[in-house]
């Protein structure tokens, strides 16, 4: 049922954005001579291939001179869950005008959805919507015009590709790219701070906590740019200072965060809608009719009451609801007529007790007798002005309303 | 009933001297030389009872013998990977003659009457720096009524930018290898050669400077100066000097941690700068 291949790297981007919050924290220590030494706290995304880290860190056998260097920080992603409180209408589409860049050949890697692509010669730029084929890239929010044969570079992926020498760009004037509405997910992340002394740990923690109230918002460029709140949900400190003298002491702070973000489905494209037709089908209940009464009646009809013909309300041959009563002109305006009111017969108010003889009727608004689709009461047609406008043009709307006679 | 006055196994000074001599000699024959580094605790925190910055500036060479727990290899949990990278949780048990400690170390520093927890021992054969976590002075238990050895329980040192200035190159290199350092790239056209261990600075003097640090290395080919023990903020386009050599700072990135093989500060920043994070959005409570 699924099966369309796509990968927006949304979670990867979230992890990078999260790391950026904490990658430039320094602490200061006073040395014996009173001068201040600054130390930047190393930060890393913790999970990794063991062999890679082994080779990175201890490939040289002399580099095991110490157990480890502290203080340091790491973070990891622990959980992901759907956030029903931020649910969006899943039938809603996010649409963009896009162009298609035609490549001269198949690039070695892939551009990343949402990343900025820049032309080396033209300096034109745009943001990747999709890679429909191996040799095409769809871009939105473009600025400038790409040049035939120039090299384009993805800012994040570092991927490069050469555009076709003669037809580098397809404008897709009559099409749009769209995705169904993004899906809200919460990611749980944990930041761990390891310190050798209590003071070192506090110096780090106190530079973090005041910024979370309890959220801290980062603007992230994913498939679309959005504000991503990062909520600090809990803080714990584990200090293993008790125990056997031979046991090591570890001071580790664990900060749990909840990141409110979104995941995105695959992109699709479709023709631009250039004309809308709206047909209105009236309901007989909405008909408005003026009853003009003969002279000589009695009582005053009340707005909202039921009027009827017949011996009594429950046995009425026809009914209607009063919308207004003009005693001078003797015009009773009614709606929601059930069955036919006969002329020269009394019209009675069910609540007011008013009784007047019906002289004539006049229908102010009457829907067609048939409710078939072809016989709408009114038709509203909207078209762009000019009608040749593309999706990225500025245009007015011409609205034409036609009523069914 | 009191012990028999006709037998005495625990009071003979001559026998004690003989036993001590045998212990010292056996360690000197079968043992190895190590470096004993007493700890100087600077800026003691009276609340948390910790030292903000420790230094090890003296080294004493003394012989030890590996303890029973270390005959077949180092103890501890060994090498493991944790969320903070690769950790080497080696432990070692060292046996030292009490009299030799007195003769070598106490004689040089009267305040050091016995090995102390927190002091370091450098094992040249494995190039490892161990921290003494516990000093056991009652094993073997009162032979001839006295104890003649210290049994040092040691764990591989957890380094945290402590100052190592012992004069022993192999030990002092631990600081230059693991301390927080940054690489400063100089513009062409400077003069002189920076010397490892000297203080470089931007300003009129080392004491009146906007930034300064201690030279770890200088590559004249690439014009990259690596410094540690950094104070202040370096500024590009401004000369850096140690009083002799003078070069103008061209560029540097303090998020690059060349001495830390686990850190990804610069990788995270580079990825974010490439368009993932929109830094143009301002936040009254932060930089983003």
């Amino acid at each position: 049922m699924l099966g369309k291949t796509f990968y927006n790297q949304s979670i990867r981007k979230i992890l990078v954005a999260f790391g950026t919050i904490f990658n430039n924290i320094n602490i200061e220590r006073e040395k014996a001579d009173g001068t201040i030494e600054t130390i930047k706290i190393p930060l890393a995304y913790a999970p990794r291939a063991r062999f890679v880290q082994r080779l990175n860190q201890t490939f040289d056998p002399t580099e095991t001179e110490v157990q480890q260097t502290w203080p340091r920080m790491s973070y990891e992603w622990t959980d992901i869950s759907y956030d029903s409180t931020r649910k969006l209408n899943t039938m809603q589409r996010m649409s963009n005008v896009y162009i298609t860049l035609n490549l001269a050949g198949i690039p070695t890697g892939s551009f990343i959805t949402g990343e900025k692509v820049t032309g080396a010669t033209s300096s034109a730029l745009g943001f990747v919507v999709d890679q429909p084929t191996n040799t095409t890239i769809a871009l939105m929010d473009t600025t400038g015009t790409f040049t035939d044969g120039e090299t384009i570079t993805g800012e994040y992926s570092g991927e490069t590709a050469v555009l076709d020498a003669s037809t580098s760009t397809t404008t897709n004037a009559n099409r749009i790219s769209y995705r169904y509405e993004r899906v809200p997910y919460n990611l749980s992340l944990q930041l761990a701070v390891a310190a050798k002394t209590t003071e070192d740990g506090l110096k780090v923690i106190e530079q973090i906590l005041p910024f979370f109230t309890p959220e801290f918002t980062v603007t992230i460029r994913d498939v679309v740019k959005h504000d991503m709140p990062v909520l600090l949900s809990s803080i714990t400190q584990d200090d293993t200072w008790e125990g056997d003298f031979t046991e090591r002491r570890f001071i580790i702070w664990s900060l749990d965060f909840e990141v409110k973000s979104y995941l995105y489905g695959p992109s699709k494209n479709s023709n631009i809608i250039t004309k809308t037709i709206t047909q209105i089908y009236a309901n007989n209940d909405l008909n408005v009719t003026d009853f003009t009464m003969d002279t000589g009646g009695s009582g005053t009809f009340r707005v909202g009451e039921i009027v009827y013909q017949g011996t009594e309300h429950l046995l009425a041959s026809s009914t209607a609801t009063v919308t207004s009563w003009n005693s001078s002109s003797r015009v009773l305006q009614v709606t929601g007529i059930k069955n036919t009111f006969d002329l020269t017969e009394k019209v009675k108010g069910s609540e007011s007790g008013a009784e007047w003889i019906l002289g004539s009727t006049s229908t102010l608004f009457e829907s067609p007798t048939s409710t078939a689709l072809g016989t709408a009461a009114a038709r509203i047609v909207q078209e762009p002005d000019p009608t040749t406008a593309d999706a990225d043009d500025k245009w007015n709307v011409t609205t034409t309303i036609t009523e069914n006679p | 009933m009191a012990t028999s006055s006709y037998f005495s196994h625990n009071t003979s000074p001559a026998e004690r001297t003989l036993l001590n001599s045998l212990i010292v000699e056996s360690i000197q024959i079968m043992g190895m030389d190590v470096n004993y580094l007493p700890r100087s605790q600077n800026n003691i925190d009276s609340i948390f009872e910790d030292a903000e910055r420790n230094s090890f500036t003296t080294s004493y060479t003394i012989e030890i013998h590996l303890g029973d727990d270390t005959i077949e290899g180092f103890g501890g949990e060994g090498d493991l990977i944790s969320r903070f990278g690769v950790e080497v949780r080696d432990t070692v048990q060292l046996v030292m003659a009490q009299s030799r400690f007195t003769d070598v170390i106490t004689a040089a520093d009267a305040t050091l009457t016995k090995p102390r927890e927190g002091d370091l021992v450098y094992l040249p054969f494995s190039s490892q720096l161990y921290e003494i976590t516990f000093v056991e002075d009652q094993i073997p238990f009162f032979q001839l009524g006295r104890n003649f050895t210290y049994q040092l329980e040691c764990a591989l040192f957890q380094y945290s930018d402590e100052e190592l200035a012992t004069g022993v190159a192999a030990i002092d290199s631990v600081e230059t290898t693991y301390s927080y350092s940054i690489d400063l790239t100089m513009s062409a056209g400077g003069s002189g050669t920076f010397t490892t261990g000297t203080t470089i600075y931007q300003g009129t003097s080392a004491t009146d400077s906007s930034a300064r640090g201690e030279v770890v290395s200088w590559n004249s080919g690439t014009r990259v100066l690596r410094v540690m023990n950094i104070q202040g903020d370096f500024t590009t386009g401004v000369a850096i000097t140690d009083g002799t050599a003078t070069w103008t700072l061209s560029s540097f990135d303090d998020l690059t941690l060349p001495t830390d093989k686990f850190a990804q500060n610069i990788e995270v920043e580079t990825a974010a700068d490439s368009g993932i994070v929109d830094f143009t959005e301002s936040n009254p409570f932060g930089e983003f």
Side-chain angles (χ1 to χ4, degrees):
Chain A
M1 292 177 66
L2 305 179
K4 176 174 171 59
T5 304
F6 69 99
Y7 178 39
N8 299 319
Q9 300 196 3
S10 296
I11 294 176
R12 181 190 181 94
K13 293 169 190 168
I14 293 166
L15 295 176
V16 168
F18 180 81
T20 313
I21 301 173
F22 308 105
N23 74 334
N24 194 20
I25 292 178
N26 303 292
I27 63 170
E28 292 181 337
R29 287 183 184 157
E30 185 176 351
K31 298 169 68 175
D33 61 3
T35 57
I36 302 297
E37 175 191 27
T38 303
I39 298 171
K40 188 172 297 297
I41 310 299
L43 171 75
Y45 181 66
R48 57 191 57 209
R50 292 184 177 188
F51 76 92
V52 172
Q53 188 56 33
R54 179 70 175 169
L55 297 181
N56 279 349
Q57 208 161 341
T58 56
F59 186 67
D60 183 348
T62 64
E63 292 189 2
T64 58
E65 295 162 317
V66 296
Q67 175 199 331
Q68 202 170 45
T69 57
W70 284 17
R72 61 175 56 251
M73 298 191 295
S74 72
Y75 66 100
E76 61 182 311
W77 163 42
T78 58
D79 188 30
I80 184 169
S81 59
Y82 182 77
D83 185 356
S84 58
T85 63
R86 291 186 291 132
K87 180 179 174 61
L88 299 167
N89 183 351
T90 51
M91 295 307 295
Q92 185 76 30
R93 292 179 180 185
M94 301 185 296
S95 303
N96 295 93
V97 176
Y98 73 105
I99 65 169
T100 301
L101 295 182
N102 303 303
L103 309 182
I106 301 174
T108 55
S110 298
F111 291 88
I112 296 170
T113 305
E115 77 169 324
K116 185 162 69 177
V117 169
T118 308
T121 305
S122 63
S123 298
L125 60 87
F127 295 88
V128 176
V129 178
D130 192 17
Q131 289 181 260
T133 68
N134 287 336
T135 55
T136 57
I137 302 172
L139 299 182
M140 65 180 185
D141 296 340
T142 54
T143 303
T145 304
F146 287 91
T147 306
D148 291 344
E150 74 171 327
T151 299
I152 59 170
T153 304
E155 189 174 31
Y156 177 38
S157 64
E159 184 64 43
T160 59
V162 178
L163 299 185
D164 188 88
S166 57
T167 53
S168 63
T169 307
T170 304
T171 56
N172 306 311
N174 296 315
R175 298 184 71 79
I176 57 166
S177 172
Y178 70 91
R179 279 184 168 81
Y180 283 104
E181 189 59 271
R182 55 194 177 174
V183 184
Y185 272 89
N186 292 340
L187 271 74
S188 299
L189 289 95
Q190 186 177 72
L191 176 74
V193 181
K196 191 171 177 178
T197 66
T198 303
E199 190 77 348
D200 274 1
L202 295 178
K203 286 176 180 175
V204 175
I205 292 299
E206 289 197 13
Q207 291 186 68
I208 294 174
L209 301 191
F211 292 100
F212 290 87
T213 58
E215 80 283 345
F216 182 89
T217 301
V218 179
T219 304
I220 184 171
R221 269 194 180 279
D222 199 351
V223 173
V224 297
K225 189 171 90 171
H226 67 92
D227 288 341
M228 183 179 76
V230 180
L231 273 72
L232 176 57
S233 52
S234 72
I235 308 159
T236 56
Q237 186 212 21
D238 184 20
D239 185 349
T240 58
W241 64 274
E242 291 179 297
D244 193 294
F245 265 100
T246 59
E247 294 176 357
R248 290 174 170 83
R249 180 189 183 191
F250 296 98
I251 301 174
I252 296 176
W253 289 81
S254 297
L255 281 65
D256 291 303
F257 295 90
E258 186 177 69
V259 177
K260 294 186 175 298
S261 194
Y262 299 92
L263 298 180
Y264 301 79
S267 72
K268 301 177 181 179
N269 61 70
S270 68
N271 286 323
I272 297 171
I273 296 172
T274 56
K275 186 175 186 179
T276 65
I277 301 174
T278 306
Q279 296 198 141
I280 298 174
Y281 298 91
N283 186 324
N284 283 333
D285 287 346
L286 300 179
N287 287 354
V288 177
T289 303
D290 279 353
F291 290 173
T292 302
M293 304 298 179
D294 292 341
T295 57
S298 64
T300 301
F301 293 108
R302 297 175 187 169
V303 173
E305 74 169 327
I306 302 295
V307 294
Y308 63 94
Q309 285 186 329
T311 55
E312 56 181 284
H313 182 197
L314 295 178
L315 300 174
S317 58
S318 54
T319 60
T321 303
V322 176
T323 56
S324 69
W325 163 244
N326 187 324
S327 58
S328 300
S329 60
R330 303 184 308 281
V331 173
L332 177 69
Q333 194 173 78
V334 297
T335 186
I337 296 175
K338 306 293 185 189
N339 298 326
T340 304
F341 278 78
D342 295 326
L343 301 179
T344 70
E345 293 291 333
K346 279 185 178 178
V347 175
K348 303 174 182 176
S350 60
E351 299 175 10
S352 63
E355 291 185 2
W356 293 76
I357 294 174
L358 180 59
S360 62
T361 63
S362 173
T363 302
L364 300 179
F365 183 86
E366 184 178 20
S367 65
T369 54
S370 170
T371 55
L373 294 178
T375 54
R379 172 177 291 177
I380 304 171
V381 177
Q382 290 186 305
E383 291 179 291
D385 177 18
T387 55
T388 56
D390 293 337
D392 55 350
D393 290 339
K394 292 181 178 177
W395 39 269
N396 294 319
V397 176
T398 302
T399 302
T400 307
I401 301 175
T402 308
E403 292 188 47
N404 205 359
Chain B
M1 176 184 139
T3 56
S4 172
S5 59
Y6 299 104
F7 299 94
S8 175
H9 301 293
N10 300 323
T11 58
S12 169
E15 286 188 3
R16 287 176 180 166
T17 302
L18 174 61
L19 180 56
N20 182 59
S21 297
L22 289 172
I23 290 170
V24 170
E25 191 171 348
S26 66
I27 292 175
Q28 289 176 338
I29 293 171
M30 300 300 294
M32 66 190 75
D33 286 340
V34 298
N35 299 86
Y36 184 90
L37 315 178
R39 176 189 296 254
S40 300
Q41 299 184 52
N42 308 320
N43 309 326
I44 298 290
D45 187 321
S46 59
I47 300 298
F48 297 128
E49 291 292 351
D50 215 331
E52 187 168 14
R53 184 177 163 89
N54 297 287
S55 58
F56 301 88
T57 55
T58 311
S59 170
Y60 302 102
T61 301
I62 191 168
E63 67 278 6
I64 55 93
H65 194 284
L66 294 176
D68 291 345
D69 289 354
T70 317
I71 290 176
E72 294 185 348
F74 293 119
E77 299 160 68
D79 297 8
L80 56 91
I81 187 164
S82 71
R83 55 184 166 175
F84 300 112
V86 173
E87 282 187 60
V88 185
R89 294 188 181 179
D90 284 349
T91 60
V92 68
Q93 193 178 62
L94 307 175
V95 177
M96 179 186 295
Q98 292 188 5
S99 61
R100 287 291 297 155
F101 186 90
T102 303
D103 293 345
V104 175
I105 298 173
T106 307
D109 184 346
T111 63
L112 300 171
T113 57
K114 60 173 287 188
R116 302 177 307 189
E117 287 81 1
D119 289 352
L120 303 184
V121 176
Y122 180 73
L123 302 189
F125 78 93
S126 62
S127 300
Q128 288 179 311
L129 200 54
Y130 281 88
E131 179 178 350
I132 300 171
T133 56
F134 183 63
V135 179
E136 175 59 78
D137 58 2
Q138 295 182 348
I139 295 177
F141 189 67
F142 290 93
Q143 290 178 318
L144 299 180
R146 290 285 187 276
N147 293 311
F148 299 95
T149 60
Y150 295 120
Q151 183 171 290
L152 312 182
E153 304 292 344
C154 306
L156 205 55
F157 188 40
Q158 201 176 60
Y159 185 70
S160 183
D161 276 61
E162 286 86 353
E163 181 184 3
L164 293 166
T166 62
V168 180
I171 298 172
D172 296 349
S173 71
V174 171
E175 183 181 10
T176 56
T177 302
Y178 295 103
S179 274
Y180 166 59
S181 306
I182 60 173
D183 286 343
L184 307 172
T185 302
M186 306 298 174
S187 302
S191 63
T193 301
F194 293 110
T195 306
T196 301
T198 58
T199 298
I200 56 93
Y201 55 89
Q202 285 184 326
T204 54
S205 68
T207 54
D208 183 16
S209 57
S210 57
R212 67 177 189 173
E214 180 181 339
V215 175
V216 174
S217 63
W218 165 244
N219 186 325
S220 58
T222 59
R223 301 190 303 279
V224 173
L225 176 69
R226 180 169 295 178
V227 295
M228 64 179 186
N229 294 334
I230 298 156
Q231 301 164 47
D233 298 316
F234 286 99
T235 307
T236 56
V238 177
I240 289 180
T241 182
D242 62 356
T244 305
T246 301
W247 294 74
T248 300
L249 178 58
S250 171
S251 64
F252 71 100
D253 192 333
D254 65 353
L255 289 175
T256 302
L257 309 181
T259 56
D260 196 304
K261 304 292 176 56
F262 185 69
Q264 293 176 306
N265 299 56
I266 186 64
E267 286 81 3
V268 168
E269 186 68 24
T270 302
D273 288 349
S274 69
I276 291 178
V277 177
D278 188 346
F279 292 97
T280 62
E281 297 287 344
S282 62
N283 180 334
F285 302 104
E287 297 179 358
F288 305 108

